[in-house]
Amino acid sequence: MAPTLTLRPATPADLDTLVAFTVSYPLFRDHGMTAARLRPQLEAGISDAGVHFVVAEENGTPIGFAYFVKTGAFARSGYLKLIAVDAAARSKGVGRFLLEALERNFLRPNGLFLLCTHTNVEAREFYERAGYRQVGEIPDYLTPGLHEVLYHKPPPKP
């Protein structure tokens, strides 16, 4: 059974929790992402009007978040920069809850884009099940030896 989730804007008080569970992902270590590097990025997103930064919580506890740049892809489409779920809450619908909330608000008019590291098979399958299509690959984009796969989900046809 999926947890009962609420969605709210991220606040500075959330940062320690969000950073801690995000940098625990092995993939972030592969990219050299540390708490010291991630925290300022998330902090900046809280006050940026061009960013939609939301937290999923269960019983008042943050268990996931989505960091979304409203026109971050080609200056016209939404770009999901980061979505992360606490290890204890993974595979319980939290990521889907966050992704569907973004899509309800931002899929129109030009669809959504995201990058996913090619070795992150579980995440790639998650996005593909949600209707995202691979539209390209960028070798060595963020980290040498790791390729980023570009995904797009177009808006629904009228």
Side-chain angles (χ1 to χ4, degrees):
M1 184 168 134
T4 303
L5 300 172
T6 57
L7 191 69
R8 62 167 175 76
T11 69
D14 297 318
L15 290 174
D16 288 340
T17 300
L18 304 183
V19 168
F21 69 67
T22 303
V23 298
S24 72
Y25 279 69
L27 180 64
F28 282 85
R29 288 191 299 272
D30 293 347
H31 280 294
M33 182 58 70
T34 63
R37 284 184 58 209
L38 179 61
R39 186 183 179 90
Q41 291 178 35
L42 296 183
E43 198 166 41
I46 289 173
S47 60
D48 186 335
V51 169
H52 183 74
F53 185 4
V54 292
V55 171
E57 58 182 18
E58 182 179 33
N59 300 321
T61 301
I63 59 171
F65 72 91
Y67 185 111
F68 179 80
V69 184
K70 296 175 186 174
T71 57
F74 315 110
R76 64 177 287 149
S77 297
Y79 172 67
L80 178 57
K81 182 173 180 171
L82 183 58
I83 190 168
V85 176
D86 187 1
R90 291 185 199 143
S91 299
K92 295 181 180 175
V94 179
R96 184 177 62 247
F97 173 77
L98 288 161
L99 193 59
E100 288 173 353
L102 289 174
E103 290 174 356
R104 275 192 305 277
N105 290 304
F106 300 108
L107 194 56
R108 294 185 185 272
N110 299 311
L112 304 179
F113 285 87
L114 61 93
L115 291 176
C116 187
T117 304
H118 77 288
T119 58
N120 194 351
V121 175
E122 186 178 351
R124 292 180 63 190
E125 290 172 350
F126 167 75
Y127 294 123
E128 289 168 7
R129 282 192 309 272
Y132 288 77
R133 297 177 321 201
Q134 181 178 340
V135 295
E137 188 170 315
I138 309 170
D140 305 312
Y141 183 61
L142 299 174
T143 303
L146 294 176
H147 309 302
E148 299 305 311
V149 179
L150 179 63
Y151 281 95
H152 177 247
K153 184 169 184 176
K157 294 183 180 179

